[in-house]
């Protein structure tokens, strides 16, 4: 008798609009892996129990999305180094009787920037807008690329400063409030605030941006995000949403679970067509 397929999924709240089931179904088809991947809407008070039940029932792996990424640190019995640095988990895997917590977001971003977009970030000047969980998740992998420096700018300057201090051993990184930093142009500006979700844009000095600055929004949605629109209106030639990062972080999770690296170009093209 054949075995039932291994079970995977994504846990979030809300989760109905998650693109992960679409992405992982394409990966599984392309790599001939027998698995199921579902979306589960789980409210915070139920997270612990639902995840425990999933793994007790033989589930193999979960993606964890908003608002559970920080809480998921406590669901893991072991953490990868990058998850410990990020202090957040976006992937759980049943491995050798242990639930391993990993964070593939930063690696996904770096893969999209360096591989898909062909950027070289060594020696570059990087500005990150926002100092929340999303920024914490990408700092270590970005600093590993040895940029000249990273400036974190945040509405609440103290949050940016303490985050910068926590990563100072990994490279040159400073924290400041919006409009308080020296307005030399940056090579890369990453939007990691949740501001654009409500259509707002942080106030940035015009001199921070030249037509050659790459602007990258960790967020994505149907059509262009407000940050992408904002950057294009200021003459930016390359303004990108986070769809590429989404697909690449998914590929990292898939590889952790299945030991096979799925190709991403076709999936990304399909998503771009779907998202408009
Ligand atoms: P996440 O895990 O998505 O990073 P978070 O930890 O709540 O979520 O952080 C949200 C980030 O977006 C913070 O940097 C927040 O700024 P504050 O630290 O000052 O709160 C930023 N943010 C949210 N709404 C914003 C707005 N309207 N304008 C500017 N920044 C905003």
């Amino acid at each position: 008798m054949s075995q039932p397929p291994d079970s995977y999924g994504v846990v979030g709240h809300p989760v109905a609009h998650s693109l992960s089931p679409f992405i992982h179904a394409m990966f599984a088809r392309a790599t001939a892996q027998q698995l199921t991947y579902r979306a589960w809407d789980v409210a915070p008070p139920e997270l612990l129990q639902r995840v425990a039940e999933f793994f007790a029932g033989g589930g193999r792996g979960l993606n964890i999305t908003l608002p559970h990424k920080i809480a998921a640190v406590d669901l893991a019995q072991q953490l990868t180094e990058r998850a410990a640095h990020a202090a957040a988990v976006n992937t759980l895997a049943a491995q050798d009787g242990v639930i391993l917590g990993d964070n593939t977001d930063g690696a996904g971003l770096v893969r999209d920037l360096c591989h898909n977009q062909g950027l070289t970030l060594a020696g570059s000047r990087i500005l990150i807008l926002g100092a929340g969980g999303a920024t914490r998740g990408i700092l270590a992998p970005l600093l590993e690329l040895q940029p000249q420096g990273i400036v974190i700018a945040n509405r609440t300057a103290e949050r940016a400063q303490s985050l910068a201090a926590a990563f100072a051993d990994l490279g040159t990184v400073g924290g400041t409030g919006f409009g308080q930093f020296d307005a030399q142009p940056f090579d890369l500006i990453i939007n990691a605030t949740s501001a654009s979700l409500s259509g707002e844009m942080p106030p940035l000095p015009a001199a921070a941006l030249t037509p050659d600055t790459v602007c990258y929004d960790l967020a994505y949605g149907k059509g262009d995000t407000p940050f992408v629109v904002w950057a294009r209106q200021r003459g930016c030639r390359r303004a990108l949403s986070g769809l590429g990062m989404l697909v690449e972080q998914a590929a990292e999770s898939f590889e952790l679970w299945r030991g096979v690296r799925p190709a991403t170009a076709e999936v990304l093209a399909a998503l771009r067509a779907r998202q408009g």
Side-chain angles (χ1 to χ4, degrees):
M1 258 195 18
S2 65
Q3 295 272 82
D6 288 343
S7 172
Y8 296 87
V10 56
V11 171
H13 185 65
V15 81
H17 293 101
S18 170
L19 297 172
S20 294
F22 177 85
I23 295 170
H24 284 281
M26 276 192 81
F27 286 166
R29 267 199 304 279
T31 57
Q33 297 285 306
Q34 300 301 316
L35 58 85
T36 62
Y37 189 104
R38 294 177 49 194
W40 282 284
D41 193 324
V42 175
E46 295 156 22
L47 181 69
L48 183 69
Q49 191 189 340
R50 293 287 297 278
V51 168
E53 281 169 5
F54 173 82
F55 284 109
R60 305 296 306 156
L62 289 174
N63 284 130
I64 304 291
T65 188
L66 299 179
H68 301 311
K69 289 186 188 185
I70 293 171
V73 169
D74 294 327
L75 304 177
Q77 292 159 330
Q78 226 175 66
L79 287 182
T80 61
E81 198 182 322
R82 59 192 184 180
H85 250 133
V89 158
N90 79 336
T91 307
L92 293 170
Q95 278 193 356
D96 308 321
V98 166
I99 298 174
L100 178 70
D102 193 8
N103 192 317
T104 64
D105 283 333
L109 171 68
V110 163
R111 176 98 185 165
D112 193 34
L113 289 173
C114 300
H115 189 263
N116 300 345
Q117 301 300 328
L119 300 184
T120 303
L121 294 178
S124 66
R125 282 171 44 78
I126 301 175
L127 173 64
I128 302 178
L129 308 175
T135 300
R136 178 174 271 278
I138 61 173
L139 274 173
L142 285 173
L143 285 165
E144 229 171 75
L145 301 174
Q146 304 200 306
Q148 183 189 323
I150 296 182
V151 174
I152 306 168
N154 196 42
R155 179 172 62 181
T156 318
E158 303 78 58
R159 249 186 122 188
Q161 283 151 0
S162 62
L163 195 55
F167 284 81
D169 55 331
L170 299 183
T172 306
V173 51
T176 172
F178 290 130
Q180 288 170 14
F181 50 91
D182 106 55
Q184 278 178 41
F186 289 88
D187 300 299
L188 171 65
I189 302 179
I190 296 172
N191 179 35
T193 71
S194 47
S196 74
L197 297 178
S198 52
E200 291 170 67
M201 267 310 304
L204 273 193
L209 190 73
T210 74
D212 293 326
T213 302
V214 175
C215 285
Y216 196 102
D217 198 342
L218 300 190
Y220 55 86
K222 284 220 175 281
D224 290 329
T225 65
F227 176 69
V228 164
V229 172
W230 173 91
R232 291 224 180 97
Q233 282 169 348
R234 277 153 190 79
C236 171
R237 279 195 282 258
R238 200 144 38 138
L240 304 155
S241 83
L243 265 191
M245 173 181 174
L246 175 77
V247 175
E248 294 299 340
Q249 64 77 30
E252 288 272 327
S253 299
F254 192 92
E255 186 176 12
L256 174 77
W257 293 329
R258 308 302 296 180
V260 186
R261 175 121 202 145
T264 52
E266 207 177 297
V267 180
L268 188 50
L271 276 185
R272 290 225 158 94
R274 202 180 135 124
Q275 292 295 98

